[in-house]
Amino acid sequence: MPAAPKPEILAAFEAAKGFMPSDEGLALHAAAVEAGRLGLPLLEVGTYCGRSTILLADAAREAGVTAVTVDHHRGSEEQQPGWEYHDPSTVDPEIGLMDTLPAFRRTLHKAGLEDHVVAVVGRSPQIAAFWGTPLGLVFIDGGHTDEHASGDYEGWAPHVAEGGLLAIHDVFPDPVDEFTGQAPYRVWLRALESGAFTEIAVTGSLRVLRRTGAGI
């Protein structure tokens, strides 16, 4: 069983701004530790302020690989003004738009993990279109509309190496959660139905699947 993150890493995770519960974070860290053994980068889509990045970066550091984050840092739909998950402190006062990049950099600096992360700032489909490196893990935690969740899956799942892991966050099967987890749920179903992935772990709303075939 993978070792849990050291107390200082777990403390940094819990102190960081974000929405991932601790049990799901520990499961993500365990998946990242396992995936790191492939010797390939670990990539997340949807960074926000870096809460989950801490766990991926810690696993990457231990494995001697790099954690890559993909985010435009303008916030997803549910994080915009007037929505439940909006945090006014993330708004750039000069231009009036969200900008979580400064908070993200502070998070990594405080955790001592800056040297183990490459932050790619931009929109997921644009970056995925020219990405050419196999990945040990892809963690999908971006926008929760069908357009964005499907784009993240279609853009990044093909880059998961054989034996690598695909983790999908906020998978909520109940239709009452249409605006929080139905799009990730539908992406999870697509992954299973593709025949390319086999589910290996479930923790709360986090699903972890292993790449076991082609056909995405």
Side-chain angles (χ1 to χ4, degrees):
M1 186 172 181
K6 294 181 175 63
E8 60 270 24
I9 293 297
L10 191 56
F13 164 78
E14 292 174 343
K17 190 188 298 293
F19 310 104
M20 175 171 274
S22 294
D23 61 337
E24 295 177 6
L26 290 173
L28 177 64
H29 184 269
V33 168
E34 178 180 341
R37 298 189 184 115
L38 294 176
L40 298 170
L42 314 175
L43 182 142
E44 72 172 351
V45 182
T47 307
Y48 192 52
C49 297
R51 183 175 172 92
S52 57
T53 313
I54 289 172
L55 302 176
L56 295 183
D58 181 63
R61 174 174 60 183
E62 293 301 315
V65 300
T66 299
V68 180
T69 72
V70 176
D71 198 311
H72 50 65
H73 288 281
R74 294 298 187 199
S76 56
E77 299 81 8
E78 69 277 8
Q79 294 164 359
Q80 301 305 317
W83 289 80
E84 179 181 358
Y85 295 100
H86 179 63
D87 182 342
S89 71
T90 63
V91 174
D92 182 328
E94 183 174 343
I95 64 174
L97 297 176
M98 286 184 62
D99 185 1
T100 56
L101 185 56
F104 164 70
R105 297 198 68 174
R106 285 193 294 270
T107 295
L108 290 185
H109 177 75
K110 291 176 182 177
L113 292 167
E114 284 184 288
D115 291 344
H116 304 281
V117 178
V118 172
V120 184
V121 181
R123 297 195 174 274
S124 170
Q126 291 176 293
I127 298 163
F130 63 74
W131 188 268
T133 302
L135 298 165
L137 176 141
V138 167
F139 174 43
I140 296 178
D141 193 22
H144 285 19
T145 64
D146 280 302
E147 175 188 3
H148 292 131
S150 295
D152 292 339
Y153 173 73
E154 293 164 6
W156 293 105
H159 295 296
V160 178
E162 179 76 22
L165 302 181
L166 173 67
I168 306 172
H169 195 219
D170 292 331
V171 175
F172 292 109
D174 193 330
V176 74
D177 296 307
E178 176 62 33
F179 296 107
T180 54
Q182 281 282 283
Y185 168 67
R186 287 186 280 269
V187 162
W188 169 72
L189 289 177
R190 284 184 63 183
L192 291 176
E193 292 165 359
S194 73
F197 294 97
T198 302
E199 186 168 85
I200 61 170
V202 176
T203 304
S205 72
L206 180 71
R207 304 292 192 270
V208 180
L209 305 95
R210 188 185 309 283
R211 179 78 183 263
T212 53
I216 298 173

